[in-house]
Amino acid sequence: MTNTNPESQAAATPSNFLHDQIAEDVRTKKYGDAQIQTRFPPEPNGYLHIGHAKAICIDFGLADEFGGKTNLRFDDTNPGKEEQEYVDSIQADVRWLGFEWDRLCYASDYFGQLYEWAVQLIKAGKAYVDDLSADEIRQHRGTLTEPGQDSPYRTRSIEENLDLFTRMKAGEFPDGSRVLRAKIDMTSPNINMRDPVMYRILHATHQRTGDEWCIYPMYDYAHGQSDSLERVTHSMCTLEFTDHQPLYRWFIEQLGIFPTQQFEFDRLNLTYTLLSKRKLLQLVQEKRVNGWDDPRMPTLSGIRRRGFTPEALRAFVAASGVSRTNGSTDIEMLEHYQRDDLNRRARRAMAVLRPLKLVIDNYPEGPNQDQVEFFEVANNPEDASAGTRQVPFSRELFIEQDDFRETPPPKYHRLSPGKEVRLRNAYFVTAQRVAKDAAGNIVEVHCTYDPATRGGDAPDGRKVKSTIHWVSAAHAIGAEIRLYDRLFTKADPYDLEEGQDVLDNLNPNSIEIVTGAKLEPSLASAKLGEHLQFERVGYFCLDTDSTPAHLVFNRTLPLKDSWAKIEKKAGA
Ligand code: ATP
Ligand code: MG
């Protein structure tokens, strides 16, 4: 064990109630000399999303801090909804986020033990087989203000219960015909304690146990005992499980097994974002997006493909804190942490998304108008160790269409006839005239350059109001660029008119595909997973669809940071 002194911990992370609780339990040696044990328990019924990242950071982060261990446990009690694809993606995502589990566990590993414990509870008169239908069970359950009613089968003898449960397991009964229930209290003010179902009959092939079982434990019966079996000391989960805690404790007390303690924290909710596997699955199944890793998806695989980094995500989760009430976090805050991280690490390059030809009329022509010079440019002004590169410059360049106006509006400081601007890292140029096609569209801008401004400064101290980026036309490489906007149009996607579904709030313009972009040649060697800043345009990364013959880049984020503004407004 390392670094288990609670005093030294306090400085390491911002204090929160979970952290303080563990520090206290370490100090009082609540678990003797046993180490802190946590777990992250996803159900493999979808891909992990940004909300799960918070749970992962809490489960793994706190255990790490106190020298403890974390298991990755798949809560695989729902055959039919769960798939190996999800099991694999969840493992990859946890590792991507930067964590490594101690043991890889499955609730299905415990099916045998859970069954034995169910038999033990029946023998103790604490569980019974109920023949009521699911509907009838619901009707008997009562409401928040009315107590429930006992099932007529509640008083079955232990022998009859044992016989029926054994036959349930043996496959003698059809799905839905019987369940095993805990015998607790149908009048409990906590509905979870009103004889909850422990087992249901389901003739389904399980992805791991095959056809061995035709009865499966309910999550509420499996979860607490799985924690206990793994000797989880601190079982952390989201607030919706608070009312289930007394039930988990009840099972553990009846069985006399290791007393895991549960602690609840707030779910992460993000504006303009849906964090629900069920809804995300619907987006995938209805092909509203291109799969779980569509760069617009809030899944970890989606944001990874989009160019988000685990470092930024962890910093964001830490900064957004842990609380005991659910709230909503501005997506701009996540984007702020991501920009901050990318600003430090992204290699800079020049790329023109919507090209307009710029011809420098007084640039010396080689024998074939093909004179080229090279500018040595820093790969990352924030990081000298990133080195420099040679960027070719020639008589014909591409600039952004947006960086030229034949008739400039007020305060437009970029290129327009008679106006001088700086070509980034290169020369000052002054626009002279335009060339148009038959339809009157501008096809070329002609300009002159001042050779004395090489490198980007005028020896006479003359200033320009604007610097624009460019690429040499003869050297440019083509690419497809994918620009993303929010997936939902409303800050709260569940802000609905009557009769609407949350998917009605999908943003119809969440992706824009720009073909025919012109990139500086160094970008031909961009690698998957590499982070780039296209100067003045945003942060980018190569997409998994990219091939050497057809480059595809995703915009991770535009450069502008609106979070600082939001924070300032909130403070004012
Ligand atoms: P979803 O509602 O998206 O299906 P879930 O809670 O059903 O999520 P699980 O696979 O059961 O998904 O989640 C594993 C763990 O992640 C649980 O401990 C759960 O509390 C936690 N978790 C899920 N969503 C969030 C969230 N938005 N913020 C924080 N923790 C979350
Ligand atoms: Mg769940």
Side-chain angles (χ1 to χ4, degrees), residues 237-345:
C237 63
T238 36
L239 287 164
E240 68 270 24
F241 294 103
T242 307
D243 290 343
H244 299 234
Q245 183 174 159
L247 175 60
Y248 301 161
R249 262 205 313 263
W250 186 87
F251 282 126
I252 282 179
E253 278 163 15
Q254 300 307 313
L255 296 167
I257 56 179
F258 180 83
T260 294
Q261 258 265 274
Q262 175 172 302
F263 301 93
E264 302 89 8
F265 60 87
D266 59 320
R267 281 181 87 84
L268 176 67
N269 294 306
L270 276 179
T271 55
Y272 298 99
T273 308
L274 267 192
L275 296 179
S276 147
K277 275 186 288 184
R278 195 172 56 83
K279 278 292 168 190
L280 296 178
L281 174 65
Q282 194 185 341
L283 290 177
V284 173
Q285 283 177 334
E286 293 182 8
K287 299 204 183 320
R288 306 294 193 101
V289 294
N290 301 313
W292 285 99
D293 71 344
D294 185 304
R296 293 168 293 178
M297 288 280 272
T299 52
L300 298 189
S301 52
I303 66 172
R304 170 167 68 234
R305 178 170 169 190
R306 168 102 167 239
F308 278 63
T309 61
E311 291 82 0
L313 198 50
R314 291 199 306 262
F316 161 72
V317 166
S320 62
V322 185
S323 129
R324 278 196 174 104
T325 42
N326 282 324
S328 173
T329 303
D330 286 321
I331 184 122
E332 288 87 351
M333 181 176 170
L334 170 62
E335 294 171 348
H336 167 78
Y337 276 88
Q338 190 52 72
R339 285 193 183 91
D340 197 45
D341 179 55
L342 290 175
N343 182 43
R344 257 175 277 130
R345 69 164 85 203

Side-chain angles (χ1 to χ4, degrees), residues 52 61 100 108 146 161 185 253 322 332 339 350 452 488:
H52 292 111
E100 189 60 51
S108 56
E146 280 167 57
N161 281 321
D185 179 5
E253 278 163 15
V322 185
E332 288 87 351
R339 285 193 183 91
M350 288 196 283
F488 288 89

Side-chain angles (χ1 to χ4, degrees), residues 175-186:
D175 289 0
S177 58
R178 290 190 160 89
V179 292
L180 182 73
R181 298 177 72 175
K183 197 188 240 180
I184 308 179
D185 179 5
M186 288 306 292

Side-chain angles (χ1 to χ4, degrees), residues 82-332:
E82 298 164 358
E83 287 174 27
Q84 188 61 37
E85 177 193 349
Y86 301 142
V87 168
D88 295 339
S89 74
I90 288 169
Q91 295 184 48
D93 287 348
V94 170
R95 288 197 165 120
W96 173 74
L97 201 54
F99 297 104
E100 189 60 51
W101 50 90
D102 179 36
R103 289 199 289 143
L104 182 62
C105 306
Y106 294 83
S108 56
D109 292 340
Y110 312 136
F111 282 173
Q113 176 67 74
L114 290 167
Y115 177 80
E116 277 174 37
W117 278 337
V119 169
Q120 189 180 322
L121 289 171
I122 294 172
K123 285 181 177 164
K126 300 288 184 183
Y128 63 97
V129 173
D130 196 346
D131 300 358
L132 292 183
S133 67
D135 270 350
E136 289 166 325
I137 289 180
R138 210 169 299 124
Q139 283 156 21
H140 279 69
R141 191 179 293 137
T143 62
L144 284 173
T145 50
E146 280 167 57
Q149 287 166 8
D150 286 2
S151 160
Y153 302 97
R154 198 174 197 262
T155 50
R156 264 176 171 151
S157 70
I158 290 175
E159 289 68 37
E160 190 183 5
N161 281 321
L162 277 178
D163 173 62
L164 287 172
F165 189 52
T166 311
R167 289 163 59 194
M168 275 168 66
K169 177 180 184 265
E172 286 188 29
F173 310 120
D175 289 0
S177 58
R178 290 190 160 89
V179 292
L180 182 73
R181 298 177 72 175
K183 197 188 240 180
I184 308 179
D185 179 5
M186 288 306 292
T187 65
S188 170
N190 181 344
I191 292 183
N192 294 294
M193 300 297 274
R194 294 181 188 169
D195 292 9
V197 173
M198 294 165 58
Y199 272 91
R200 72 247 195 245
I201 302 173
L202 191 62
H203 289 81
T205 302
H206 186 278
Q207 63 275 16
R208 293 188 77 241
T209 58
D211 294 323
E212 191 183 338
W213 297 90
C214 61
I215 55 171
Y216 289 95
M218 303 300 290
Y219 178 85
D220 273 352
Y221 176 64
H223 190 77
Q225 280 82 276
S226 301
D227 278 349
S228 177
L229 279 166
E230 293 169 24
R231 303 189 89 77
V232 169
T233 55
H234 298 79
S235 173
M236 289 166 290
C237 63
T238 36
L239 287 164
E240 68 270 24
F241 294 103
T242 307
D243 290 343
H244 299 234
Q245 183 174 159
L247 175 60
Y248 301 161
R249 262 205 313 263
W250 186 87
F251 282 126
I252 282 179
E253 278 163 15
Q254 300 307 313
L255 296 167
I257 56 179
F258 180 83
T260 294
Q261 258 265 274
Q262 175 172 302
F263 301 93
E264 302 89 8
F265 60 87
D266 59 320
R267 281 181 87 84
L268 176 67
N269 294 306
L270 276 179
T271 55
Y272 298 99
T273 308
L274 267 192
L275 296 179
S276 147
K277 275 186 288 184
R278 195 172 56 83
K279 278 292 168 190
L280 296 178
L281 174 65
Q282 194 185 341
L283 290 177
V284 173
Q285 283 177 334
E286 293 182 8
K287 299 204 183 320
R288 306 294 193 101
V289 294
N290 301 313
W292 285 99
D293 71 344
D294 185 304
R296 293 168 293 178
M297 288 280 272
T299 52
L300 298 189
S301 52
I303 66 172
R304 170 167 68 234
R305 178 170 169 190
R306 168 102 167 239
F308 278 63
T309 61
E311 291 82 0
L313 198 50
R314 291 199 306 262
F316 161 72
V317 166
S320 62
V322 185
S323 129
R324 278 196 174 104
T325 42
N326 282 324
S328 173
T329 303
D330 286 321
I331 184 122
E332 288 87 351

